[in-house]
Amino acid sequence: MDKPLKLKVAIVGLGYVGLPLSLQFARSGVPVLGMDVDVDKVEALNDGRSYIKHVSGDLVAEQVKAGRLEATADFARVNEVDAVIICVPTPLNKNREPDISYILQTGRAIAPHLRSGTLVALESTTYPGTTEELVLPILEKSGLRCPIAAGLENENIPADYFLAFSPEREDPGNKQYGLAQIPKVVGGVNPPSGRAAQALYAQVVAKVIPVSSTRAAEMTKLLENIFRCVNIALVNELKLLSLRMGVDVWEVIDAASTKPFGFMPFYPGPGLGGHCIPVDPFYLSWKAREYDFSTRFIELAGEINTSMPYHVVESVGEALNQHKKSLKGSKILVLGVAYKKDVDDLRESPSLKIMEILQKRGADFDYNDPYFPQLHKMRHYDYSHMKSVPLSAETLAKYDAVIIATDHTSYDFGMIVDASKLVVDTRNATRRVIRHRDKIVLC
Ligand SMILES: NC(=O)c1ccc[n+]([C@@H]2O[C@H](COP(=O)([O-])OP(=O)(O)OC[C@H]3O[C@@H](n4cnc5c(N)ncnc54)[C@H](O)[C@@H]3O)[C@@H](O)[C@H]2O)c1
């Protein structure tokens, strides 16, 4: 990391990406003004509290106390800073098309207050072209100019302000790679913007990787996520075949993983979850249509991954059938609503879809998740009436079937199998359970 520059940074959007990034800057000695439309988050931060489980409240309190972290909902204060980093959501809308309204809102909110010489860096995952085609024209309403230019002849092209894209690569809950250890890809709309963004991020990460344009940086993030999405779809499909053939796909993946080159393991599961992998690839397929191009791998992977929660419910129905029971009217417990183990994030979680399908098929279901004592209303689902049921041998015994949807480390799978009548395991979480294997259905 480089020697600290004297600067102040605004970070817009204080969620899973923006909050850890704010802390990283603050800890590196760069004062941060966090900005969010959610006044509860602003208040919590100014009180020195964290609202994200894996972000330490002590760390927030320490930085607030030291005067290096402050939050506000007043976007006019952008005129106090040297750089603005935008980390607002980029979901899909009802028609599964990009919803870039949050980026547009942010652009409109900051443009009137932008000072000459300020760097604006977008981090929200989006399709190639967003920074140049959407953010730049909005920011230029400020009267400041930042020309789109590339190549050696434009190394020192004059610009009133600087504009760049740098994708976020945060992996929530990953203890091996923290923000500082993950190289940061950076592309500017012109060479001076690229250099300004490199200097900014060198304050907080060990390695900055420059690319030639914002489009290249935007596409890099999509390649990374499409790579995961397609490979997860591949193992999900191979799992379906393996189940039919009586082959243990998890054993096969472990064996293939011993190849020291050319193979990287991906694991099957109940479907895709999280804010990124189920969403981001469709930003590219949407944009590709403008070029009369169909992204077939993305569509196929989407089709397979989307079918997985249906496969889980089919498997539960089939397993109950073996016990002379029907899905309709059976009592089912879903273990884990978080989209992956040990995180308090349920965005796009396949468990939510599984619960929706169970409901439609007339099953009577509950859930347990140590990270979610109760559920709230979400964009596509409303389970606000549901509370996590306590996990005990007596509770488990009341259900006709238990679905392991998320393999949280805190779950005692031996106890779960012992106490349950039937366990449908979507993650091979019971691989080490020896007793009562006849109760387990891998799916
Ligand atoms: N969560 C991840 O692991 C992850 C990883 C890589 C990339 N990303 C990308 O980063 C971006 C942010 O994701 P996130 O997970 O942090 O989302 P999030 O929902 O956790 O946080 C977004 C924050 O932005 C705020 N916000 C919404 N509209 C705003 C506006 N107009 N002005 C200011 N603040 C506003 C929200 O109140 C919220 O606090 C998305 O584009 C996402 O695809 C996320």
Side-chain angles (χ1 to χ4, degrees):
M1 269 162 267
D2 288 2
K3 225 169 110 238
L5 298 173
K6 269 197 166 298
L7 43 81
K8 183 170 179 179
V9 178
I11 295 186
V12 185
L14 299 167
Y16 285 90
V17 169
L19 180 56
L21 188 65
S22 299
L23 284 172
Q24 191 65 23
F25 271 103
R27 291 168 74 194
S28 311
V30 178
V32 174
L33 183 61
M35 297 187 160
D36 207 295
V37 287
D38 182 341
V39 287
D40 291 340
K41 283 187 181 145
V42 168
E43 201 181 299
L45 284 192
N46 287 333
D47 281 355
R49 286 183 280 119
S50 167
Y51 39 81
I52 297 180
K53 206 160 237 158
H54 64 268
V55 174
S56 142
D58 289 349
L59 218 56
V60 171
E62 188 184 298
Q63 296 308 320
V64 171
K65 214 165 146 203
R68 285 190 293 265
L69 177 62
E70 186 197 347
T72 181
D74 177 7
F75 288 76
R77 292 188 61 191
V78 152
N79 64 10
E80 293 173 20
V81 303
D82 307 285
V84 184
I85 301 178
I86 304 172
C87 313
V88 294
T90 44
L92 295 173
N93 67 17
K94 278 207 299 287
N95 305 324
R96 298 196 65 73
E97 289 169 348
D99 175 1
I100 34 81
S101 61
Y102 301 90
I103 296 181
L104 300 181
Q105 272 170 32
T106 304
R108 289 188 200 112
I110 65 173
H113 313 287
L114 212 57
R115 275 193 320 188
S116 165
T118 307
L119 163 69
V120 178
L122 177 64
E123 291 219 1
S124 306
T125 308
T126 183
Y127 57 78
T130 309
T131 312
E132 287 180 5
E133 295 164 14
L134 295 177
V135 181
L136 185 132
I138 294 178
L139 296 184
E140 302 227 328
K141 295 222 165 83
S142 62
L144 301 173
R145 295 287 167 262
C146 183
I148 299 172
L152 284 177
E153 66 280 21
N154 289 309
E155 274 301 289
N156 294 311
I157 191 168
D160 300 332
Y161 74 103
F162 305 105
L163 180 59
F165 183 85
S166 179
E168 170 54 48
R169 284 168 156 171
E170 154 104 356
D171 180 15
N174 189 326
K175 296 196 174 65
Q176 194 180 357
Y177 296 105
L179 227 154
Q181 289 87 45
I182 304 172
K184 196 107 175 77
V185 172
V186 168
V189 298
N190 49 37
S193 293
R195 288 197 300 273
Q198 285 168 47
L200 173 70
Y201 286 112
Q203 301 293 305
V204 285
V205 297
K207 198 166 182 187
V208 178
I209 315 287
V211 292
S212 63
S213 64
T214 50
R215 285 165 189 269
E218 288 158 338
M219 189 68 141
T220 302
K221 172 72 188 176
L222 293 180
L223 169 62
E224 290 167 10
N225 284 357
I226 291 164
F227 173 79
R228 287 191 63 74
C229 175
V230 167
N231 277 289
I232 292 168
L234 175 67
V235 288
N236 274 334
E237 186 174 65
L238 292 181
K239 175 183 78 169
L240 296 180
L241 174 64
S242 301
L243 283 169
R244 214 175 273 191
M245 295 173 85
V247 175
D248 179 344
V249 74
W250 287 276
E251 182 190 7
V252 172
I253 294 169
D254 286 349
S257 301
T258 60
K259 186 178 175 186
F261 47 84
F263 185 82
M264 178 184 280
F266 287 86
Y267 297 94
L272 283 186
H275 184 39
C276 297
I277 314 294
V279 171
D280 302 347
F282 297 98
Y283 266 69
L284 190 62
S285 30
W286 177 84
K287 187 67 176 174
R289 277 182 239 144
E290 197 179 303
Y291 295 83
D292 294 330
F293 195 96
S294 147
T295 50
R296 284 174 291 170
F297 270 102
I298 296 175
E299 298 301 334
L300 179 59
E303 202 179 295
I304 295 171
N305 289 328
T306 311
S307 73
M308 296 315 290
Y310 292 88
H311 160 74
V312 172
V313 178
E314 293 299 331
S315 304
V316 177
E318 178 57 29
L320 285 167
N321 193 39
Q322 298 295 329
H323 285 69
K324 301 191 175 58
K325 286 179 189 156
S326 69
L327 188 58
K328 192 176 170 107
S330 282
K331 278 181 74 72
I332 315 282
L333 180 65
V334 177
L335 288 185
V337 286
Y339 81 87
K340 69 173 182 180
K341 68 169 159 186
D342 306 337
V343 297
D344 62 337
D345 188 348
L346 46 65
R347 288 177 296 176
E348 311 289 329
S349 171
S351 302
L352 303 172
K353 189 73 190 177
I354 290 170
M355 282 157 44
E356 183 187 77
I357 307 168
L358 287 173
Q359 192 165 16
K360 281 194 179 139
R361 306 218 175 149
D364 177 10
F365 65 92
D366 290 314
Y367 84 94
N368 167 277
D369 194 310
Y371 292 86
F372 291 95
Q374 59 188 60
L375 296 179
H376 52 268
K377 192 167 169 5
M378 288 157 271
R379 272 196 204 106
H380 307 297
Y381 304 97
D382 185 3
Y383 295 120
S384 47
H385 59 287
M386 292 190 74
K387 286 200 165 75
S388 173
V389 299
L391 196 62
S392 64
E394 299 80 69
T395 328
L396 286 162
K398 286 189 201 145
Y399 292 92
D400 298 305
V402 171
I403 304 174
I404 299 175
T406 315
D407 49 345
H408 288 308
T409 310
S410 61
Y411 283 148
D412 176 347
F413 294 108
M415 183 282 276
I416 289 167
V417 173
D418 276 349
S420 305
K421 294 187 184 110
L422 177 65
V423 176
V424 178
D425 181 0
T426 71
R427 305 265 189 185
N428 199 22
T430 53
R431 67 174 78 76
R432 287 191 193 85
V433 175
I434 296 166
R435 282 194 306 265
H436 304 305
R437 287 222 59 98
D438 54 317
K439 292 189 196 174
I440 303 170
V441 173
L442 291 176
C443 88

